[in-house]
Amino acid sequence: MSEPQHRPYRRVLLKVSGEVLMGDTPYGIDTKTVESVAEDIREIVQSGVELCLVIGGGNIFRGMAGAAKGMERSSADYMGMLATVMNALAMQDALERIGVSTRVQSAIPMATVCEPYIRRRAQRHLEKGRVVIFAAGTGNPFFTTDTAAALRAAEMQCDALFKGTSVDGIYSADPKKDPEAKRYDTLDYMDVLAKDLRVMDASAVALMRDNNIPIVVFSIKGRGNLLNVLKGQGTHTVVSGVRAA
Ligand code: UDP
């Protein structure tokens, strides 16, 4: 029997949801968890992979939550985007403390805090081995950081979009609620959309389908998982245009 083929990834975009950064705390940024994710990132950067990062903001503020309490949705979404900048700065700090060179680029210009998003400049940073952290989502309300991750992955010509979550892949149902839930090894983009598997926004999945960029869903909670999955090992789900027989 032949070994499954694994094409090495040269450039990857890693999306980390804000909730991951909470660790076991109910809100905000857990420094130890950020440090642990930073260690994982250092490992893969040292392995020679060019890495882009998009971090969510759900650990601090979600626009929908503000809107549900009567705020205007756009204002609430801008607050959500600002939350992602705080997370980006926390991650930058943790990475730089362990010797990983980084740049934060924000879709909402914030000249005294970080660089504005400039695609060609971001590409140069990646070529020089720096981790580029894209903050403030797409810069537009009514979007999410999943869509921002898909957009930047396409713009940066990434070989894959890695989505680090608290679950080790995509399941047929919520594995925390349904013991019968089955994890998929591979899925087609259309399966995810048609079965409404809710691993990512439909707009993000569609953008990855149109640009033929695989989405790799894995648990970022265990130390070393990221490097393992990057090598095609460990438990994860790959969403691409090809479904395994
Ligand atoms: N957001 C936005 N536009 C974007 C990205 C994010 O308006 O392009 C806002 C939105 O309010 C969202 C919040 O920022 O709820 C935090 O992002 P998200 O919910 O995607 O974070 P995650 O769930 O990944 O932690």
Side-chain angles (χ1 to χ4, degrees), residues 31 37 48 82 114 129 199 228 241 243:
T31 314
V37 176
L82 295 180
C114 58
V199 59
N228 250 345
R243 191 185 321 151

Coordinates of all heavy atoms in Angstrom, one line a residue, residues 31 37 48 82 114 129 199 228 241 243:
T31 N -2.5 34.9 29.1 CA -1.1 35.1 28.6 C -0.5 33.7 28.4 O 0.3 33.5 27.4 CB -0.3 35.9 29.6 OG1 -1.1 37.0 30.0 CG2 1.0 36.4 29.0
V37 N 0.6 29.1 22.1 CA 0.3 29.1 20.6 C 1.6 29.7 20.0 O 2.0 29.3 18.9 CB -0.9 30.0 20.3 CG1 -1.1 30.1 18.8 CG2 -2.2 29.4 20.9
G48 N 10.8 26.4 8.3 CA 10.9 27.0 7.0 C 9.6 27.5 6.4 O 9.7 28.0 5.2
L82 N -11.5 46.2 16.5 CA -10.5 46.7 17.4 C -10.1 45.7 18.4 O -8.9 45.6 18.7 CB -11.1 48.0 18.1 CG -11.4 49.2 17.2 CD1 -11.9 50.3 18.1 CD2 -10.2 49.6 16.4
C114 N 0.8 50.1 14.6 CA 1.2 49.0 13.7 C 1.2 49.6 12.3 O 0.7 50.7 12.0 CB 0.4 47.8 13.8 SG -1.4 48.1 13.5
G129 N 11.0 36.0 6.1 CA 10.9 35.1 7.2 C 10.1 35.7 8.4 O 10.1 35.1 9.5
V199 N -18.3 25.2 9.9 CA -16.9 25.3 10.4 C -16.3 26.6 10.2 O -15.5 27.1 10.9 CB -16.0 24.2 9.8 CG1 -15.9 24.3 8.3 CG2 -14.6 24.2 10.4
N228 N 2.6 19.0 13.6 CA 2.2 17.7 13.2 C 1.3 17.7 12.0 O 1.4 17.0 11.0 CB 1.4 17.1 14.3 CG 2.1 15.9 15.0 OD1 3.1 15.4 14.4 ND2 1.7 15.5 16.1
G241 N -10.9 20.5 -3.1 CA -11.7 20.1 -4.2 C -11.8 18.6 -4.5 O -12.5 18.1 -5.3
R243 N -12.3 14.8 -2.8 CA -12.7 14.0 -1.6 C -12.1 12.7 -1.7 O -12.1 12.1 -2.8 CB -14.2 14.0 -1.6 CG -14.8 13.4 -0.4 CD -16.3 13.2 -0.5 NE -17.0 14.3 -1.2 CZ -18.1 14.1 -1.9 NH1 -18.6 12.9 -2.0 NH2 -18.6 15.1 -2.5

